[in-house]
């Protein structure tokens, strides 16, 4: 495929403004680009928002060859084995069956009921930070603690074990700095812990997700431990690592945008929902001085020849969604380079779409809204006290340190 000059892909790093212009030229030029990944070979990266939605809703794109190990996941780093056994790699009908059971437990109603406890815990964390004073690490003292507490509550994990979950999560997502044996040992420890907890919830059910799954019946079949464990794993990993990073990025993007921060401070509760969506779409562009493009969601494989937006994706080819471009496609987002916390109808795909829309999306959104609103209500003069630190040895490349003061 020949590319028009100025539409190279992957691209960067470049300034956020340059990246937005580059994406505009890219999506005008073509719907997708074929890219050879360092691991797993070629994959189509889909840039246009409408084309991405079409693929995410089309059951002819599956993940079974990756789940079974028949195909290597095309990615920048070796994809963690344990993730291939989780719900996100299942296809219908098993995916539909398991997802339905989990959705009952993470329903919007359940998340609304959890909101008050999220507000209370956020304020408890803020009390601790303000009492200690000086320069604080927002990540360890706030962004990470809030979603871990909420997830512990949802799953039914004792909050005294939160520290273990932080360690297990970073180990399962490690792409460097840990040996295979260390990762395997942590995974075995996590599996043993969760298996024991599931057994206890079978004996004495409580009002939590593990109890609901342990007693879930589908056509008179109880879920097995082998089915429950991968669900718990993906929620543990996706449930706080990503959400913590969204929250940190959200705080940083507001700290680096005086105009939008002033707007947010005038009505944190009223603007929390639209601010959260704009952070998911564009927060990384505001929080970072340089931006690159060249990655996407977990790929799929085409089960037959499919034409999407004029481009043939041949049977057996891998395809992934370029979230960055899809969230900055001028056909889907007006003035995509502007950080606008009042933006409505936000078309980003950060939490995916369709069949594989993020299971924990209602929870992640609630935590992001509460986390931002409570922090800026309590500490309106919050400001950075140093540069953020990013951990490149973990798949999600999280911010691990954001020094703040007030």
């Amino acid at each position: 495929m020949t590319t028009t000059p100025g539409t190279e892909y992957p691209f960067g790093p470049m300034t956020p403004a340059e990246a937005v212009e580059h994406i505009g030229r890219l999506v005008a030029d073509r719907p997708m680009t074929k890219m050879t990944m360092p691991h797993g070979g070629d994959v189509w990266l889909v840039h246009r928002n409408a084309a991405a939605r079409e693929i995410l809703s089309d059951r002819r794109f599956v993940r079974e060859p990756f789940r079974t190990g028949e195909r290597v996941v095309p990615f920048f780093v070796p994809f963690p084995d344990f993730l291939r056994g989780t719900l996100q790699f299942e296809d219908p009908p098993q995916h539909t069956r398991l997802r339905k059971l989990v959705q009952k437990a993470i329903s919007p109603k359940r998340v609304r009921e959890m909101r008050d406890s999220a507000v209370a815990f956020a304020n408890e964390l803020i009390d601790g930070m303000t009492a200690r004073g000086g320069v604080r690490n927002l990540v360890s003292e706030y962004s990470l603690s809030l979603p871990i507490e909420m997830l512990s509550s949802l799953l039914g994990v004792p909050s005294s074990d939160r520290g273990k979950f932080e360690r297990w999560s970073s180990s399962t997502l490690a792409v460097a700095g840990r040996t295979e044996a260390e990762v395997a040992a942590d995974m075995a420890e996590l599996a043993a812990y969760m298996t024991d907890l599931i057994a206890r919830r079978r004996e004495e059910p409580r009002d939590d997700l593990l109890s609901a799954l342990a007693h879930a019946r589908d056509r008179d079949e109880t879920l097995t431990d082998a089915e429950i464990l991968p669900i718990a794993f993906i929620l543990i990993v996706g449930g706080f690592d990503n959400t913590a990073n969204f929250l940190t990025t959200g705080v940083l993007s507001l700290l680096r945008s005086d105009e939008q921060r002033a707007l947010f401070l005038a009505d944190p509760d009223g603007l929390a929902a639209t601010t959260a969506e704009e952070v998911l779409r564009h927060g990384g562009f505001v929080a970072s001085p340089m931006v690159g493009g060249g990655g996407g969601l977990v790929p799929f494989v085409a089960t037959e020849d499919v034409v999407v937006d004029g481009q043939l994706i041949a049977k057996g080819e891998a395809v992934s969604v370029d979230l960055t471009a899809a969230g900055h496609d001028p056909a889907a987002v007006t003035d995509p380079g502007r950080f606008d916390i009042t933006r409505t109808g936000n078309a980003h795909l950060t939490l995916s779409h369709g069949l594989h829309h993020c299971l924990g999306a209602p929870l992640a959104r609630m935590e992001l809204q509460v986390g931002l609103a409570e922090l800026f209500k309590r500490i309106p003069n919050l400001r950075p006290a140093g540069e953020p630190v990013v951990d490149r040895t973990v798949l999600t490349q999280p911010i691990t340190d954001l020094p703040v003061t007030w």
Side-chain angles (χ1 to χ4, degrees):
M1 176 186 286
T2 57
T3 60
T4 306
T7 66
E8 295 79 15
Y9 190 85
F11 65 85
M14 55 181 71
T15 69
E18 289 169 338
V20 170
E21 285 181 14
H22 191 95
I23 289 167
R25 293 190 299 270
L26 177 64
V27 298
D29 185 60
R30 58 191 184 276
M32 60 192 79
T33 303
K34 186 174 278 190
M35 190 176 162
T36 302
M37 288 293 191
H39 300 269
D42 290 348
V43 60
W44 286 105
L45 267 295
V46 181
H47 312 304
R48 290 179 185 162
N49 193 289
R53 287 172 186 273
E54 190 179 325
I55 282 166
L56 290 168
S57 304
D58 192 328
R59 293 193 174 198
R60 290 175 295 178
F61 295 101
V62 301
R63 288 179 172 154
E64 184 182 21
F66 301 136
R67 180 174 57 80
T68 60
E70 177 193 329
R71 289 274 294 274
V72 175
V73 181
F75 219 67
F76 297 96
V77 293
F79 210 81
D81 275 347
F82 105 95
L83 280 176
R84 293 191 293 105
T86 58
L87 185 60
Q88 70 183 132
F89 277 86
E90 292 285 358
D91 299 309
Q94 176 73 341
H95 178 274
T96 313
R97 170 182 172 244
L98 294 176
R99 188 181 176 96
K100 197 185 299 178
L101 293 168
V102 180
Q103 271 179 323
K104 286 179 188 171
I106 319 182
S107 64
K109 178 177 179 288
R110 175 66 182 265
V111 171
R112 281 195 299 275
E113 290 166 356
M114 292 175 70
R115 195 178 191 105
D116 286 346
S117 62
V119 169
F121 191 68
N123 278 281
E124 203 178 297
L125 294 171
I126 296 164
D127 287 342
M129 283 201 301
T130 53
R132 289 185 289 275
V135 173
R136 312 307 322 160
N137 176 5
L138 187 84
V139 179
S140 59
E141 298 185 46
Y142 189 70
S143 304
L144 203 50
S145 300
L146 179 62
I148 288 179
E149 177 71 15
M150 290 300 98
L151 193 71
S152 299
S153 165
L154 180 75
L155 277 172
V157 171
S159 55
S160 56
D161 290 335
R162 285 204 328 244
K164 293 179 186 174
F165 277 83
E166 284 186 52
R167 178 167 56 82
W168 289 331
S169 174
S170 60
S171 181
T172 56
L173 292 171
V175 294
R178 293 181 73 82
T179 65
E180 281 186 30
E182 286 172 327
V183 172
D186 278 343
M187 285 306 302
E189 203 178 313
L190 172 57
Y193 178 94
M194 295 305 293
T195 302
D196 177 60
L197 202 53
I198 291 163
R200 281 188 273 154
R201 294 295 182 263
R202 280 210 171 96
E203 291 295 316
E204 295 177 23
R206 296 185 186 178
D207 183 24
D208 58 45
L209 177 61
L210 279 186
S211 297
L213 293 174
H215 292 269
R217 292 190 176 275
D218 183 70
R219 298 189 191 88
D220 298 323
E221 289 178 33
T222 305
L223 286 182
T224 64
D225 285 7
E227 289 174 316
I228 297 172
L229 275 174
I231 295 171
F233 283 179
I234 196 66
L235 287 170
I236 289 161
V237 175
F240 66 79
D241 183 87
N242 284 325
T243 308
N245 219 31
F246 293 149
L247 182 50
T248 306
T249 300
V251 172
L252 192 52
S253 58
L254 285 169
L255 291 179
R256 289 186 169 167
S257 176
D258 295 343
E259 175 205 3
Q260 296 297 303
R261 185 173 69 258
L263 202 58
F264 187 68
L265 287 171
D267 186 14
D269 290 326
L271 286 170
T274 51
T275 300
E277 298 309 311
E278 187 68 339
V279 164
L280 289 170
R281 183 191 76 86
H282 189 63
F285 279 61
V286 188
S288 307
M290 303 296 277
V291 176
L297 289 169
V298 176
F300 297 92
V301 174
T303 56
E304 59 183 79
D305 288 0
V306 185
V307 175
V308 176
D309 199 356
Q311 175 63 55
L312 170 68
I313 301 167
K315 179 181 180 178
E317 287 189 319
V319 60
S320 177
V321 170
D322 172 6
L323 292 176
T324 304
H328 294 82
D329 178 352
V333 181
T334 306
D335 196 3
R338 174 168 164 72
F339 183 51
D340 179 4
I341 65 168
T342 67
R343 190 187 295 277
T344 54
N346 208 312
H348 71 80
L349 295 171
T350 305
L351 299 175
S352 196
H353 174 75
L355 189 69
H356 285 275
H357 182 247
C358 172
L359 260 177
L363 185 61
R365 286 189 159 103
M366 180 272 282
E367 291 168 358
L368 188 50
Q369 292 167 17
V370 167
L372 291 172
E374 297 308 311
L375 183 67
F376 282 96
K377 279 194 286 189
R378 290 284 308 278
I379 316 178
N381 57 338
L382 188 76
R383 63 181 192 273
E387 288 301 308
V389 176
V390 177
D391 185 355
R392 306 285 179 195
T393 68
V394 172
L395 188 69
T396 47
Q397 301 202 350
I399 300 172
T400 53
D401 191 350
L402 178 60
V404 294
T405 191
W406 48 89

